[in-house]
Amino acid sequence: MSNTEALQWAAEADDSFDRNEILTDDEIIRTVTAEDDDDDDVTPINPIKISPSEAVSALIISLHWAEEQNFEVHEIMLLGRLRDCAFQLKIGTAAQKKRIITDFFGHRIMFIHLHM
């Protein structure tokens, strides 16, 4: 950088300092806090609930697509692991539902049997 360029840069920097407002710590905090309050006006988006069954189906399709596109082996393996995790959640959810139904009806059947 030449002397002329350095002097020109310094002059432009001085001009930008003159245009910038110098704030105290409290003013900076108030300004930032006011900007954060503006974010509260944003309406939150309700997340879509995806069942484990839907996740398994989507990951199986993704896995086939990745294989067709000749993705790297580690990427395909990652999709496979994700599919397996979703499948385990699917099995766990199904077993839990079955246990709840069995417990509910099992108690009803015992209650009916005892009162006959």
Side-chain angles (χ1 to χ4, degrees):
M1 179 184 275
S2 68
N3 270 347
T4 307
E5 291 172 331
L7 290 172
Q8 184 180 5
W9 175 83
E12 289 172 4
D14 285 341
D15 288 344
S16 69
F17 286 135
D18 291 339
R19 285 179 275 156
N20 291 331
E21 182 180 356
I22 297 175
L23 302 174
T24 65
D25 290 346
D26 291 335
E27 291 170 328
I28 293 170
I29 291 170
R30 276 194 301 274
T31 303
V32 170
T33 304
E35 289 173 1
D36 286 347
D37 290 343
D38 292 343
D39 293 342
D40 295 340
D41 297 339
V42 176
T43 305
I45 298 173
N46 292 333
I48 298 171
K49 300 292 182 189
I50 300 171
S51 72
S53 295
E54 292 172 315
V56 169
S57 297
L59 287 164
I60 288 171
I61 291 169
S62 299
L63 186 59
H64 290 300
W65 178 80
E67 289 170 345
E68 288 173 1
Q69 301 302 316
N70 295 321
F71 273 51
E72 297 285 327
V73 173
H74 68 276
E75 294 168 327
I76 293 172
M77 290 176 64
L78 175 60
L79 285 171
R81 282 195 300 255
L82 288 171
R83 180 209 50 211
D84 295 345
C85 289
F87 186 73
Q88 290 300 320
L89 286 172
K90 177 182 173 182
I91 291 172
T93 302
Q96 184 178 13
K97 285 180 184 177
K98 182 179 178 183
R99 190 171 35 255
I100 290 169
I101 291 170
T102 303
D103 290 348
F104 177 77
F105 286 110
H107 292 298
R108 296 282 186 205
I109 292 169
M110 281 182 37
F111 178 75
I112 293 169
H113 183 68
L114 292 173
H115 285 54
M116 291 184 113

